[in-house]
Structure formats: structure tokens, C-alpha cells
Amino acid sequence: MKEFEIKFSDIHRILIGDVPYHFYLEVIFRVAFIYLILMVSLRLMGKRMSTQLGRNEMAAVTSLAAAIGVPLMSPDRGLLPAVVIAAVIITFQILIAKKASTNKKFESFTQDKYNMLVKDGVLDTKAMMSTRVSRDRVFSQLRSESISNLGEVKRLYFEAGGSFSILAAENPKPGLSVLPEWDVDMSSDMHQSVDQEICGYCGYQDPGPVAAKEKVCGNCQHKDWVSAVTLLE
């Protein structure tokens, strides 16, 4: 349309557009057909499509949405191209899934690998940097699982699909609090300090003596040292 043809007072164009009324009957058929294509496509691509989506599944869903959305409201676009595109996406998804199930390297390349963000109550800052997961995000995830300090965590895995898996320590030890620093009341209700200095950033306990606040953490290179905490008995 030309610029002078666009008028805010043109309610008919805004609500109905420039298509004839009988096209809306065709839209019903188009929507039903596209819906059927989506259902069949998702069914053929497996149960994974209805759970946590990985990179491949996300790419497949995005491609389907981009290809299938156009014929819904464009009377000059046919439905057959959407079917062809869906068939190609399904084929690629099935082939990638089969190859990944028999080749570990290919699976790691297409699905990515899991990372360990917490090991024995200490943050793995290198893994956090490589996965671009912030310290606050890790602490938030732990709090959502009712964990209040790193000493309660044996392992925290960041899975290839983007989810977190937590293995609790059988014998919790003193560790770094994951509660917000400003929430002093909650911390005092849950924690008690112990005579053990740890890094205030990652929870690492240096085997050597801590010389005031000048000593550099051997794990994350920070200089902030605090007292470890345990749960109140």
C-alpha cells in the first residue's frame, strides 16, 4: 500500500484487511490443516518435543512456526510449501536424533554437554564463565530447592537442555550462604557461623592460613573472606 492510502480512520482495513469476506471461511480450513501438520510433525519428532527442548528441538519448532505461519493469513500463499518444509524439518530431526543416539561426539556437538557448576560445596567459576551462568542465577536455583548454603550441595549440574540437576551432600558441611546478603533476619534464623574462613565469592576453603583479607582465593582469585555457616540445629 502507498503511504497516502493508510488512514487511522479506515476501520474496515484495520479490522478486516484487503481480503474478501469469503477468505475467512478459507482461513478456517487453513488453520485446521496447519494444526494437523503441527500435530503430526510433533508426533513424528518424538516425545522430547513435549518436554524440555534442546537446541535441535528449539530450532525445529522455530522453523515450523516460521514456515507454517505465513499461509495462515496470506491468500496468495499455498499450503503445499508448508507441508514440504515440515517434511524436511521432520526428516532432519529424525536423522540427527538417530545419529546422536549412536555417536557420543555427534551428540555433544548437536546437543551440547552438561557442566558441573558446584563441586563439593564450591562454585566452579570457570564452568560458570563458559556457560554464561551468573553466580546469582546459581544461588537462585539453589534457593528454589530449599538449599541455603553451598555446604549442602555435593554436585550441581547444568544439563545440555538448560535445566539444573542437584545432588545433595549426604553429610552437609559448613559453606557459603546462598541467601541474599541484605536478608539478615532470614540468615540469622537459619544459619550459625563457624570458626572457618572461606572465600566470600565461591565458598572455597584455602588449606593455608588466611592473612586478613589480602590472601587471594586459589579458586576464583577473589580476596573477600567470610565465615562459613551451617544450619541451626
Side-chain angles (χ1 to χ4, degrees):
M1 297 181 64
K2 296 181 180 180
E3 184 177 354
F4 69 86
E5 295 178 323
I6 300 177
K7 299 178 181 179
F8 185 74
S9 59
D10 190 357
I11 303 300
H12 182 277
R13 176 186 59 80
I14 295 175
L15 297 180
I16 300 178
D18 294 328
V19 296
Y21 290 102
H22 62 265
F23 174 69
Y24 289 93
L25 296 177
E26 184 179 321
V27 167
I28 298 175
F29 170 76
R30 286 174 177 261
V31 170
F33 189 80
I34 292 299
Y35 182 79
L36 179 62
I37 292 177
L38 285 174
M39 292 299 295
V40 173
S41 300
L42 295 176
R43 178 67 179 88
L44 292 176
M45 284 189 286
K47 295 180 179 179
R48 178 70 181 271
M49 301 302 294
S50 59
T51 58
Q52 181 72 35
L53 297 182
R55 290 180 175 181
N56 295 337
E57 292 81 11
M58 185 67 69
V61 170
T62 305
S63 300
L64 281 173
I68 288 176
V70 175
L72 284 178
M73 297 303 296
S74 298
D76 58 332
R77 300 295 180 90
L79 294 173
L80 185 57
V83 176
V84 174
I85 294 173
V88 173
I89 294 173
I90 293 171
T91 301
F92 269 105
Q93 181 66 20
I94 293 175
L95 291 177
I96 291 174
K98 287 185 177 180
K99 183 67 175 178
S101 65
T102 57
N103 190 313
K104 191 172 183 179
K105 290 184 178 180
F106 184 78
E107 180 184 16
S108 298
F109 176 75
T110 57
Q111 304 287 347
D112 207 346
K113 299 180 291 185
Y114 65 87
N115 300 88
M116 183 166 56
L117 303 183
V118 177
K119 179 180 180 182
D120 296 328
V122 179
L123 294 176
D124 189 330
T125 54
K126 291 183 179 179
M128 291 167 57
M129 185 177 298
S130 65
T131 57
R132 295 177 291 280
V133 176
S134 68
R135 179 174 177 267
D136 288 341
R137 179 70 181 88
V138 172
F139 283 5
S140 173
Q141 184 64 35
L142 294 176
R143 290 194 296 267
S144 70
E145 299 293 335
S146 300
I147 292 176
S148 62
N149 71 81
L150 290 179
E152 302 176 60
V153 183
K154 183 69 174 177
R155 295 287 190 274
L156 172 62
Y157 297 108
F158 187 42
E159 305 292 350
S163 60
F164 292 88
S165 299
I166 300 175
L167 299 180
E170 295 181 359
N171 299 308
K173 62 180 183 179
L176 179 66
S177 173
V178 302
L179 299 179
E181 295 181 1
W182 50 264
D183 198 351
V184 180
D185 293 337
M186 176 62 73
S187 182
S188 61
D189 289 341
M190 300 183 64
H191 293 151
Q192 59 183 357
S193 299
V194 299
D195 187 19
Q196 178 179 326
E197 293 291 317
I198 59 175
C199 176
Y201 185 84
C202 68
Y204 177 72
Q205 181 183 8
D206 198 302
V210 178
K213 294 186 178 181
E214 296 301 321
K215 189 175 181 66
V216 176
C217 174
N219 181 58
C220 68
Q221 311 306 312
H222 283 73
K223 296 182 179 180
D224 182 24
W225 297 89
V226 298
S227 297
V229 298
T230 59
L231 292 174
L232 285 173
E233 298 180 356

